[in-house]
């Protein structure tokens, strides 16, 4: 028995020495100290392990979330063409060279649709940039999922199509035909006929207000609510036929370019234009406003492209074109695209500063160009011309980061339905369309002269009431018990206070202003009472 007891004691001593050695190594590595008892040792060991495990899991989750946020929030940089030296010019690059330098997926976005017998074509992209709408002058309407090269619907209306545009989503689109405006769904079926819109040349849709605006040969600007079907406003411009119109997405104001060279800004709340500017010496062919609502670009028959500051309504820059430009458009990144004849030019940094040379230059081989459009969230420019439709690559044109709450290119059917309901709930009233949207909901203070005039009128009215009451009191027949000394004294004191109140207030204001001049402006307010 003694031998067995000695062996057990030696084993216990060895295990204790090994545990002590392990804890010394932990202390050397910065671990917890050795507990005094065995129970405390095991318990603290489990607690430390659990705490370290939880902290490690939290750290890994935080790193993962940070990586996800960094990926989704403005991490994708926009691409652009950068020359290696001063001798290289970006406008000399052809589309074949650009397509060979980009990846295969981006190069597939350059294509041509040959539809020579039904052109020239007007084109429009949806807000998310996924869908393309084409309208041929000889009655051909087509809606495409252009990234997959898939035709959604195609219809021949057998009438002249002057302009096309999407409504609140890709399910419905409007087409300005020979006499009236028609609304079609994505199956190509006619769902509505707008008889009030006559001889329309241009269409424009306000997505935040669900308003479809149109103007044409009659010079009448009409607003129609697409959610209720009611005509909100009809304004006679009295400036003749109009073939140029665009939307300022910042404040919802519609801009129209007229044959006399003037540009007007309209709101459904006023029968007269908010602003009227003389921009060109001839008819205005096209105009566009950037997303910030600060810069306006107009082109006319005087062979000039002009950049205007919308805040001050002053001319910033003027560019000369070799021929009268027919279409102008501004991309999400601020690139300006113009077209005349069969040529397309894209200008970079041409709004804030005066650019010396174009960014890109493209010669279309399919005839006269009718309209150009930048595709949202893509580095693509759509060109509608006599031979059909063409898509060219313009690096740096689209915004690389999209907001799924505004427009998502990967929207499913369920998400589209929910987004449509939320858009109707958040729909803005036409009364909110003003030049300065920041002023909506603020209190407009009257000028000082108007305030002083109102105070003087109030004083005169109060004095007239008091004098009338005094005359009435004096003409009364005094009865016994109604003319006590205390009542007479009270009336007298009340009249004195009323008569002297304004004079006392004016005296107090003058004394306060005099004290402020004597004290000075540099003295703190807490010390002014000692002067």
């Amino acid at each position: 028995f003694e031998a067995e007891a000695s062996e057990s004691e030696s084993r216990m001593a060895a295990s204790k020495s090994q545990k002590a050695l392990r804890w010394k190594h932990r202390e050397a590595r910065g671990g917890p100290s050795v507990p005094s008892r065995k129970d405390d040792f095991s318990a603290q060991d489990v607690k430390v392990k659990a705490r370290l495990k939880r902290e490690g899991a939290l750290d890994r989750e935080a790193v993962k979330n940070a990586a996800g946020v960094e990926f989704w929030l403005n991490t994708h940089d926009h691409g652009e063409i950068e020359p290696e030296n001063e001798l290289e010019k970006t406008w000399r690059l052809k589309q074949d060279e650009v397509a060979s330098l980009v990846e295969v997926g981006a190069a597939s976005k350059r294509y041509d649709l040959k539809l020579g017998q039904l052109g020239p074509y007007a084109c429009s992209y949806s807000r998310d940039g996924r869908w393309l709408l084409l309208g041929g002058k000889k009655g051909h309407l087509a809606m495409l999922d252009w990234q997959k090269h898939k035709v959604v619907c195609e219809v021949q209306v057998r009438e002249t199509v002057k302009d096309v545009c999407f409504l609140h989503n890709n399910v419905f689109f409007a087409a300005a035909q020979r006499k009236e405006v028609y609304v079609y769904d994505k199956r190509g079926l006619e769902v509505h006929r707008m008889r009030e819109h006559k001889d329309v040349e241009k269409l424009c849709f306000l997505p935040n207000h669900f308003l479809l605006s149109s103007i044409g040969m009659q010079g009448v600007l009409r607003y129609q609510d697409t959610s209720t079907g009611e005509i909100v406003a009809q304004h006679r411009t009295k400036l003749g036929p109009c073939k140029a119109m665009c939307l300022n997405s910042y404040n919802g104001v519609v801009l129209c370019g007229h044959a006399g060279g003037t540009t007007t800004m309209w709101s459904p709340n006023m029968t007269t234009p908010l602003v009227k500017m003389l921009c060109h010496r001839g008819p205005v062919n096209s105009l566009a406003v950037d997303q910030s609502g600060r810069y306006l670009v107009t082109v006319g028959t005087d062979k000039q492209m002009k950049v205007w500051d919308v805040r001050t309504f002053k001319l910033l820059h003027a560019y000369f074109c070799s021929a009268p430009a027919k279409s102008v458009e501004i991309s999400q990144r601020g690139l300006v695209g113009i077209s005349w004849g069969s040529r397309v030019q894209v200008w970079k940094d041409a709004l804030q500063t005066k650019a010396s040379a174009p960014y890109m230059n493209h010669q279309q081989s399919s005839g006269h160009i009718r309209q150009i459009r930048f595709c949202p969230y893509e580095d693509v420019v759509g060109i509608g011309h006599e031979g059909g439709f063409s898509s060219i690559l313009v690096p740096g044109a689209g915004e690389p980061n999209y907001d799924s709450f505004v427009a998502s290119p990967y929207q499913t059917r369920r998400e589209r339905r929910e987004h449509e309901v939320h858009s109707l709930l958040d729909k803005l009233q036409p009364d909110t369309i003003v030049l300065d949207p920041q002023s909506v909901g603020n209190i407009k203070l009257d000028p000082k002269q108007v305030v002083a005039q109102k105070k003087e009128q109030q004083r005169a009215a109060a004095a007239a009431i008091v004098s009338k009451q005094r005359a009435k009191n004096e003409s009364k027949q005094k009865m016994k018990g109604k003319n006590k000394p205390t009542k007479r004294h009270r009336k007298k004191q009340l009249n004195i206070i009323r008569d002297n109140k304004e004079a006392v207030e004016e005296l107090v204001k003058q004394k306060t202003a005099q004290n402020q001049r004597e004290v000075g402006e540099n003295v703190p307010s807490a010390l002014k009472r000692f002067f």
Side-chain angles (χ1 to χ4, degrees):
F1 292 106
E2 292 179 358
E4 292 177 357
S6 61
E7 289 178 1
S8 62
E9 289 177 358
S10 63
R11 286 196 299 269
M12 291 176 61
S15 62
K16 286 182 179 180
S17 63
Q18 290 176 359
K19 290 180 179 179
L21 183 62
R22 285 197 300 269
W23 277 103
K24 285 183 179 180
H25 285 294
R26 288 188 180 183
E27 288 180 355
R29 294 194 302 266
S33 60
V34 181
S36 60
R37 293 185 300 179
K38 183 178 181 181
D39 297 335
D40 295 341
F41 172 81
S42 60
Q44 188 159 350
D45 189 19
V46 173
K47 289 182 179 179
V48 170
K49 286 183 178 179
R51 181 171 61 82
L52 293 176
K53 188 176 180 180
R54 289 195 301 270
E55 291 179 356
L58 291 175
D59 291 341
R60 288 191 297 272
E61 186 178 359
V63 171
K64 186 178 179 180
N65 293 337
V69 170
E70 185 180 359
F71 177 78
W72 289 111
L73 293 181
N74 297 330
T75 57
H76 302 284
D77 192 14
H78 65 283
E80 59 183 15
I81 301 175
E82 295 183 357
E84 295 182 356
N85 51 55
E86 296 181 356
L87 298 178
E88 292 185 353
K89 303 297 181 182
T90 58
W91 56 269
R92 293 178 179 173
L93 287 175
K94 305 297 182 182
Q95 281 297 308
D96 295 335
E97 299 176 359
V98 175
S100 64
L101 296 175
V102 299
E103 60 181 3
V104 178
S108 64
K109 297 175 183 177
R110 174 179 174 260
Y111 58 90
D112 293 319
L113 299 178
K114 296 182 179 180
L115 305 167
Q117 299 179 357
L118 302 174
Y121 275 83
C123 56
S124 176
Y125 286 99
S126 60
R127 293 184 69 194
D128 54 9
R130 181 178 175 182
W131 311 95
L132 172 64
L133 182 61
L134 299 177
K137 192 174 182 180
K138 296 182 181 178
H140 180 222
L141 293 176
M143 179 180 170
L144 302 89
D145 186 351
W146 67 271
Q147 293 184 355
K148 297 181 180 180
H149 304 286
K150 178 183 177 181
V151 178
V152 179
C153 72
E154 192 174 12
V155 61
Q156 175 60 252
V157 297
R158 297 181 181 180
E159 275 188 351
T160 302
V161 177
K162 300 177 181 179
D163 196 13
V164 290
C165 75
F166 279 102
L167 299 186
H168 55 278
N169 53 26
N170 64 301
V171 178
F172 300 101
F173 62 90
Q177 297 178 197
R178 185 171 62 90
K179 289 185 178 181
E180 298 168 348
V181 176
Y182 294 83
V183 177
Y184 299 89
D185 62 359
K186 64 179 182 179
R187 297 173 296 176
L189 300 178
E190 179 187 331
V191 295
H192 193 65
R193 180 181 180 183
M194 300 181 178
R195 300 177 183 275
E196 295 83 2
H197 300 258
K198 300 288 186 181
D199 298 329
V200 173
E201 294 288 338
K202 283 293 180 179
L203 292 174
C204 185
F205 184 73
L206 286 66
N208 297 328
H209 305 80
F210 278 76
L211 294 178
L212 178 65
S213 59
S214 66
I215 195 168
M217 300 303 293
Q218 297 179 358
V220 179
L221 177 63
R222 295 180 176 88
Y223 291 88
Q224 184 161 0
D225 193 332
T226 57
S227 61
T228 60
E230 298 179 354
I231 294 292
V232 176
Q234 293 188 19
H235 301 324
R236 293 188 176 275
T237 61
K238 301 178 182 179
L239 295 172
C242 178
K243 296 184 179 181
M245 183 172 63
C246 73
L247 170 67
N248 187 346
S249 58
Y250 174 69
N251 51 18
V253 173
V254 173
L255 291 86
C256 300
H258 303 277
T262 58
T263 299
T264 54
M265 302 183 186
W266 294 88
S267 169
N269 309 318
M270 296 183 62
T271 57
T272 57
L274 302 174
V275 178
K276 187 177 180 181
M277 304 165 53
L278 180 60
C279 297
H280 294 273
R281 295 182 178 178
V284 179
N285 293 333
S286 182
L287 65 165
V289 183
D290 69 330
Q291 284 195 335
S292 63
R294 297 180 180 180
Y295 301 102
L296 167 66
V297 180
T298 60
V299 293
T301 55
D302 55 356
K303 299 182 181 181
Q304 284 191 341
M305 180 183 75
K306 296 184 179 181
V307 181
W308 305 82
D309 191 340
V310 180
R311 296 167 294 181
T312 59
F313 310 111
K314 293 182 179 180
L315 178 64
L316 297 179
H317 317 293
Y319 300 88
F320 178 77
C321 304
S322 60
K326 294 298 182 181
S327 179
V328 64
E329 184 76 4
I330 302 178
S331 72
Q332 293 177 323
R333 300 290 305 178
L335 300 184
V336 181
I338 59 173
S339 68
W340 66 85
S342 60
R343 182 176 295 275
V344 177
Q345 278 189 355
V346 180
W347 293 77
K348 180 183 177 183
D349 300 330
L351 299 178
Q352 299 179 358
T353 58
K354 181 70 178 290
S356 59
Y359 175 60
M360 293 193 70
N361 197 359
H362 175 69
Q363 181 70 35
Q364 187 67 35
S365 60
S366 301
H368 177 74
I369 296 175
R370 179 180 179 182
Q371 196 176 43
I372 62 171
R373 286 289 182 264
F374 282 98
C375 180
Y377 308 107
E378 295 289 347
D379 295 341
V380 169
V381 175
I383 305 171
H385 48 79
E386 290 181 347
F389 178 81
S390 299
S391 177
I392 63 174
L393 302 178
V394 180
E399 179 66 37
N401 306 290
Y402 67 91
D403 189 354
S404 60
F405 290 99
V406 178
S408 175
Y410 310 103
Q411 196 176 55
T412 61
R413 180 179 297 180
R414 182 177 179 182
E415 291 175 350
R416 176 179 57 78
R417 291 175 179 174
E418 292 183 358
H419 184 266
E420 185 174 1
V421 173
H422 286 293
S423 300
L424 286 171
L425 293 175
D426 298 336
K427 171 187 168 184
L428 299 178
Q429 295 299 320
D431 300 339
T432 59
I433 300 177
V434 292
L435 280 177
D436 185 12
Q438 303 296 333
S439 63
V440 177
N442 296 336
I443 299 175
K444 186 177 180 181
L445 300 177
D446 295 330
K448 293 183 178 180
Q449 298 179 355
V450 177
V451 174
Q453 186 178 1
K454 288 182 178 180
K455 285 186 177 181
E456 189 65 29
Q457 293 177 358
Q458 292 176 359
R459 291 172 185 172
I465 292 173
V466 171
S467 61
K468 184 178 179 180
Q469 186 65 30
R470 288 178 182 176
K472 183 178 180 181
N473 293 337
E474 291 178 359
S475 63
K476 275 186 178 181
Q477 185 178 1
K478 298 180 181 179
M479 301 177 63
K480 186 176 180 181
K482 299 291 184 180
N483 197 17
K484 295 182 179 179
T486 56
K487 198 168 184 179
R488 289 202 307 271
H489 179 71
R490 196 182 303 115
K491 286 184 179 181
K492 188 176 181 181
Q493 288 297 115
L494 185 61
N495 294 336
I496 291 172
I497 292 172
R498 284 182 177 175
D499 294 339
N500 296 339
K501 183 177 179 181
E502 297 176 359
V504 171
E505 289 180 353
E506 189 68 24
L507 184 62
V508 169
K509 288 182 181 180
Q510 294 178 0
K511 193 172 182 180
T512 304
Q514 184 178 1
N515 293 338
Q516 289 180 355
R517 288 194 298 269
E518 293 177 357
V519 171
E521 298 180 355
N522 298 328
V523 180
S525 58
L527 301 178
K528 288 183 180 180
R529 58 192 181 93
F530 296 106
F531 288 87

